[in-house]
Amino acid sequence: MHKDWKKTTQDLSALMQEVRKGVPEVAKGFTQMAKGANVDGALSHKHKELMALAIGISTRCEGCIAFHAKAAAELGASRDEIMETIGVGIYMGGGPAFTTGAQALEAYDTFAAERG
């Protein structure tokens, strides 16, 4: 395994908690924005998480990959959906996104294994 994705989400959550304490209004606004963006509408919450994962891949954000791969797995995304999402991320991010796409697959597999 390249990275311990569970530990990544745990460690980042702890670090982000410190930021929440320092700038509570900003954190509250971000949380509200995330909730609003993920409401089921024309696109399901799952599909929005897949979009966020593709963006995380294309911008090479390991934290984004960890959190959105976890959410996608929890929302029932299939491995095939993750593979197509990785393809979009690579398309939008070029060669460097290929490596983060591979990491996203590993992260998804880690969290999907928890679901059984």
Side-chain angles (χ1 to χ4, degrees):
M1 182 183 317
H2 170 74
K3 189 171 197 70
D4 185 338
W5 294 100
K6 292 179 194 176
K7 186 167 178 3
T8 297
T9 58
Q10 293 166 352
D11 291 350
L12 284 173
S13 291
L15 291 170
M16 291 167 72
Q17 196 59 27
E18 285 299 308
V19 175
R20 288 182 191 284
K21 290 177 191 173
V23 286
E25 291 303 311
V26 172
K28 189 185 306 181
F30 181 81
T31 298
Q32 283 304 113
M33 183 174 53
K35 286 180 182 177
N38 286 315
V39 170
D40 283 329
L43 297 172
S44 70
H45 182 182
K46 178 181 83 169
H47 288 100
K48 292 174 182 184
E49 288 295 345
L50 293 172
M51 292 168 63
L53 181 58
I55 292 166
I57 292 165
S58 68
T59 61
R60 298 177 293 284
C61 174
E62 286 188 4
C64 299
I65 289 169
F67 286 118
H68 296 295
K70 181 178 188 218
E74 290 171 350
L75 291 167
S78 70
R79 198 166 194 272
D80 287 340
E81 288 173 315
I82 295 298
M83 293 300 276
E84 288 189 24
T85 298
I86 291 168
V88 171
I90 292 169
Y91 163 61
M92 297 305 294
F98 207 133
T99 62
T100 53
Q103 292 175 13
L105 180 59
E106 180 185 62
Y108 168 81
D109 285 344
T110 298
F111 295 114
E114 290 182 345
R115 288 188 58 235

